[in-house]
Amino acid sequence: MSDRIEADYLIETPIDPARAAAVMAGEQSAGTFVKVPGETPELQARAGAQVVSLTPLDATDSPSLRGGQQGTRYQRAKVTLSWPLDNIGPDLPNLMATVAGNLFELAQFSGLRLLDLRLPRAFAEAYSGPKFGITGTRKLAGVADGPLIGTIIKPSVGLDPQDTAKLVGTLAEAGIDFIKDDELQANGPACPFEERVSAVMDVINAHADRTGKKVMYAFNLTGEVDEMRARHDFALSKGATCVMVSLNSVGVAGFLGLSRHSALPLHAHRNGWGYLSRAELLGWDYAAWSKIWRLAGADHMHVNGLQNKFSESDASVIASAKSLLTPLFGDAPCIPMPVFSSGQSALQPPETYRHLGHADCIYAAGGGIMAHPDGPRAGVAALRQSWQAAMAGIPAADYAKSHPELARALKAYAK
Amino acid sequence: MSDRIEADYLIETPIDPARAAAVMAGEQSAGTFVKVPGETPELQARAGAQVVSLTPLDATDSPSLRGGQQGTRYQRAKVTLSWPLDNIGPDLPNLMATVAGNLFELAQFSGLRLLDLRLPRAFAEAYSGPKFGITGTRKLAGVADGPLIGTIIKPSVGLDPQDTAKLVGTLAEAGIDFIKDDELQANGPACPFEERVSAVMDVINAHADRTGKKVMYAFNLTGEVDEMRARHDFALSKGATCVMVSLNSVGVAGFLGLSRHSALPLHAHRNGWGYLSRAELLGWDYAAWSKIWRLAGADHMHVNGLQNKFSESDASVIASAKSLLTPLFGDAPCIPMPVFSSGQSALQPPETYRHLGHADCIYAAGGGIMAHPDGPRAGVAALRQSWQAAMAGIPAADYAKSHPELARALKAYAK
């Protein structure tokens, strides 16, 4: 394992790509093109970033991003840079400034996107990674095989704690494994965190006492660090088995302030991901971005879903999910449980399973459960049956012949 | 003052913009188009987002962002949405999910950018804003009038604490007001934070004892919250008068964990800003983004500089600087000191002053000081003279006749 940090980028530039790559390396380390006093060859060798590889790709006549240098052709390339670990140590917040700092603004680029990261082993010692991950989540949720069938409280906002608890009762009776707050619901005056936790956990604990099944509920505790720690402790004291946090709302240091403290699975919500990723030649690929949060302790990570209601392609969704399942280090794989959601119903499990190769995921549906013509219990059953069929290698239509909930769902949700 | 949160967006959509705006409002609040049980008119009235205004702009034949719904024309518009404060309370981390959450991914949009924010007065009570701002910074730096002439330690990384302190001695002798760590230098093994602070403050304190002038040095304490608090306390104990933090590395909750604790001006670095802003029809405008950090306590905020080395236009730089000087609330203006940097020399002050209308800023140059043909002392003097001329309404070329450092600089840096 190298003791250097490596990052892969997709670039687009009107200048010689090799020179552009050298500009990136200089800007993000000890400088290259504007010599200043003290910038000796020894210092460059010790602290400078290096261009590890450069692979030219296609070229285009018009720049993907404006404002930079003008040219006639804009060449795309894949570039890998590396940095000595000694520049920053195994430090995630400062890794951000190194691999994803000023360089996106450089005038030499009409496109620059961070694709992937490879980190020295020292990061595995400095950060815990997911404390629960797939195994710990399955244990707490009492689901040994198959996906956790989940849902989201809807309407997203507007329900008070008692309304929320009542809906949780309905969902628990329907056989759900997992429920999450919407990311818009945190600790507003209309539905304060502690009141919501108390009301919901009363229902979940009573249901568990009666049936032996404890539904996992991810309470959105997003807030300041001291608030998140206090909310975590409160949820834990009420018997909660999961908390949720909006990653882009709290940031890496905010998240670490929670995860260092946490004794519950951390359900990591990626809302805001669009502004980081939707321009094809700018920002972050999920593989790079998610590695930061995996190391920092995210137990569940959202990857959208196939045929979703958003703009993301199925190929991108599957690439994201697969990237989560790639070990970060041999002895510290840091693998979170992928969360599929957005417009999911009994229709998508076969294809999801075919790509994923297993069912180690949270599979969340809103309308796909609540809008089942025979109600939420049938909605949950239909999703579970769709997954059972996929895992057994049986076409859903065949399995539906002996499973009426699935049959009704396939018809109701057909597009 | 309204008790609703308002956000302005630039959108681009292949569908009717009014319908697109309603989709945004639904996705970011209580849902509109997919009815679920419990979504009553009363709940919508109480918790739903509203489309306050919609102003059609131009249209285009090709979508700015791919992956969404196809169309023949993509209409641009300015949309203002509002939310009831009760949904989240005056809460900056959760404001992020509300105004800048999932909506960027919606398939109905081929472009979506957050332009500006207006917040209820309750936010001014919940957050301190800058504790020092312009007045407090001037007092600590001992600079009553004109800009703080500043510079950045270069090479960015590779100098150890003793090398750094030696360079600080040279810069202090040259008459500098302000020095900052590069954002790539934080607490790596090659230049640990506490050793750097100790070595640098020995030089700064000795210089202050000798001359009465205490140079302000912004030590980059970016890290986890508990680390940042400890580093802040250490720097304060050594007599430091400023600390620096990379906003996008720590996030809003991370920054608040520091700012609630801090007794020093917070120099807020925006590295990573490019991935948030460089696609014209995606992400954040500076006015919106900076308001979050201003409320959260940023004392100094980077705005790039005129004729900079990056891809940003002069108009955008000036718009950013002016947005910082717009009060957030009448009795809580939350105005930070703008920081101009990137490729600055004695050439740009007249134009900067003309746009800004005053000299309440930190004006930082690297090569613009160190590469002056007569050395750094002449470099600092030339920058100060260029500002003096601008503030007195005298053309730089005229002022240079009686100010040789400026004369040499105008010649050396001429483009």
Side-chain angles (χ1 to χ4, degrees), chain A residues 26-31 34 36-40 43 46-48 65-69 76 83 85-111 126-127 154-160 163 167 182-191 220-229 231 246 248-257 260 269-280 282-284 304 309-313 367 370, chain B residues 26-31 34 36-40 43 46-48 65-69 76 83 85-111 126-127 154-160 163 167 182-191 220-229 231 246 248-257 260 269-280 282-284 304 309-313 367 370:
Chain A
E27 175 67 23
Q28 293 307 117
S29 67
V34 182
V36 294
E39 187 187 334
T40 62
L43 185 143
R46 190 173 70 242
L65 302 172
R66 295 192 202 170
Q69 291 180 16
R76 293 179 184 158
W83 292 260
L85 178 61
D86 260 11
N87 282 19
I88 55 167
D91 181 316
L92 286 178
N94 288 301
L95 178 69
M96 299 280 285
T98 295
V99 301
N102 280 341
L103 72 175
F104 300 91
E105 294 183 62
L106 287 168
Q108 287 85 356
F109 297 88
S110 57
Y127 296 97
K154 297 281 176 187
S156 307
V157 283
L159 299 182
D160 68 15
D163 294 336
L167 179 54
D182 192 272
E183 75 276 8
L184 300 171
Q185 186 66 275
N187 186 45
C191 193
N220 180 18
L221 51 57
T222 301
E224 298 187 35
V225 169
D226 296 336
E227 290 172 341
M228 291 195 287
R229 289 173 179 165
R231 287 176 197 158
S246 290
N248 295 312
S249 299
V250 302
V252 174
F255 183 74
L256 285 164
R260 297 269 188 211
H269 201 289
R270 71 177 196 178
N271 65 82
W273 171 241
Y275 66 69
L276 296 173
S277 65
R278 209 181 145 189
E280 291 173 280
L282 183 68
W284 295 73
N304 211 335
K309 67 177 175 177
F310 293 117
S311 52
E312 189 176 5
S313 70
M370 296 304 286
Chain B
E27 174 68 23
Q28 293 306 118
S29 68
V34 182
V36 294
E39 188 186 334
T40 62
L43 184 142
R46 190 174 69 242
L65 302 172
R66 295 193 203 168
Q69 291 179 15
R76 293 179 183 159
W83 291 260
L85 178 61
D86 261 11
N87 282 18
I88 55 168
D91 180 318
L92 286 177
N94 288 300
L95 178 70
M96 299 280 285
T98 295
V99 302
N102 280 341
L103 73 174
F104 300 92
E105 295 182 62
L106 287 168
Q108 287 85 355
F109 297 88
S110 57
Y127 296 97
K154 297 280 176 186
S156 308
V157 283
L159 300 181
D160 67 16
D163 294 336
L167 179 54
D182 192 273
E183 75 275 10
L184 301 170
Q185 187 67 275
N187 186 44
C191 193
N220 180 18
L221 51 57
T222 301
E224 299 186 35
V225 169
D226 296 335
E227 289 171 341
M228 290 194 288
R229 289 173 179 165
R231 287 176 197 157
S246 290
N248 295 312
S249 299
V250 302
V252 175
F255 183 74
L256 285 164
R260 297 268 187 212
H269 201 290
R270 70 177 196 178
N271 66 83
W273 170 241
Y275 67 68
L276 296 173
S277 65
R278 209 180 145 189
E280 291 172 280
L282 183 68
W284 295 72
N304 210 337
K309 66 177 175 178
F310 294 117
S311 52
E312 190 176 3
S313 70
M370 297 303 287

Side-chain angles (χ1 to χ4, degrees), chain B residues 9-347:
Chain B
Y9 300 89
L10 174 63
I11 64 167
E12 184 188 283
T13 177
I15 68 171
D16 172 19
R19 184 167 156 81
V23 170
M24 290 171 73
E27 174 68 23
Q28 293 306 118
S29 68
T32 300
F33 287 102
V34 182
K35 285 278 178 198
V36 294
E39 188 186 334
T40 62
E42 291 72 26
L43 184 142
Q44 271 299 337
R46 190 174 69 242
Q50 293 169 6
V51 180
V52 175
S53 67
L54 176 71
T55 310
L57 303 170
D58 56 329
T60 171
D61 288 339
S62 63
S64 294
L65 302 172
R66 295 193 203 168
Q69 291 179 15
Q70 299 295 308
T72 49
R73 289 287 281 171
Y74 298 83
Q75 177 70 44
R76 293 179 183 159
K78 185 175 169 185
V79 175
T80 298
L81 299 188
S82 78
W83 291 260
L85 178 61
D86 261 11
N87 282 18
I88 55 168
D91 180 318
L92 286 177
N94 288 300
L95 178 70
M96 299 280 285
T98 295
V99 302
N102 280 341
L103 73 174
F104 300 92
E105 295 182 62
L106 287 168
Q108 287 85 355
F109 297 88
S110 57
L112 200 152
R113 187 173 174 97
L114 176 52
L115 301 178
D116 207 350
L117 286 173
R118 285 171 299 283
L119 300 172
R121 180 70 184 71
F123 278 86
E125 278 147 36
Y127 296 97
S128 69
K131 292 178 190 165
F132 293 85
I134 293 165
T135 308
T137 296
R138 286 195 175 284
K139 199 168 165 187
L140 279 173
V143 178
D145 300 301
L148 270 63
I149 301 297
T151 194
I152 302 153
I153 295 292
K154 297 280 176 186
S156 308
V157 283
L159 300 181
D160 67 16
Q162 296 309 322
D163 294 336
T164 308
K166 198 173 155 196
L167 179 54
V168 168
T170 302
L171 291 163
E173 291 300 326
I176 202 92
D177 300 317
F178 177 91
I179 309 173
K180 62 178 278 292
D181 279 331
D182 192 273
E183 75 275 10
L184 301 170
Q185 187 67 275
N187 186 44
C191 193
F193 183 83
E194 294 198 356
E195 289 178 38
R196 186 167 75 253
V197 170
S198 295
V200 167
M201 288 312 299
D202 280 353
V203 170
I204 286 177
N205 289 330
H207 181 80
D209 290 345
R210 206 163 55 242
T211 66
K213 180 174 178 67
K214 187 163 187 175
V215 176
M216 178 175 276
Y217 191 110
F219 292 101
N220 180 18
L221 51 57
T222 301
E224 299 186 35
V225 169
D226 296 335
E227 289 171 341
M228 290 194 288
R229 289 173 179 165
R231 287 176 197 157
H232 164 277
D233 294 351
F234 183 83
L236 187 62
S237 78
K238 295 291 178 183
T241 55
C242 190
V243 290
M244 166 174 140
V245 59
S246 290
L247 300 178
N248 295 312
S249 299
V250 302
V252 175
F255 183 74
L256 285 164
L258 170 64
S259 72
R260 297 268 187 212
H261 174 86
S262 177
L264 289 170
L266 299 176
H267 187 85
H269 201 290
R270 70 177 196 178
N271 66 83
W273 170 241
Y275 67 68
L276 296 173
S277 65
R278 209 180 145 189
E280 291 172 280
L281 267 292
L282 183 68
W284 295 72
D285 259 15
Y286 191 79
W289 183 79
S290 58
K291 281 182 179 176
I292 307 236
W293 305 102
R294 289 166 63 184
L295 262 172
D299 290 288
H300 308 156
M301 289 201 73
H302 281 246
V303 296
N304 210 337
L306 297 183
Q307 302 158 46
N308 60 74
K309 66 177 175 178
F310 294 117
S311 52
E312 190 176 3
S313 70
D314 287 357
S316 172
V317 171
I318 292 300
S320 294
K322 287 194 170 174
S323 79
L324 294 184
L325 305 168
T326 308
L328 281 189
F329 305 98
D331 57 343
C334 299
I335 293 175
M337 201 157 193
V339 182
F340 291 87
S341 70
S342 174
Q344 300 301 291
S345 72
L347 295 176

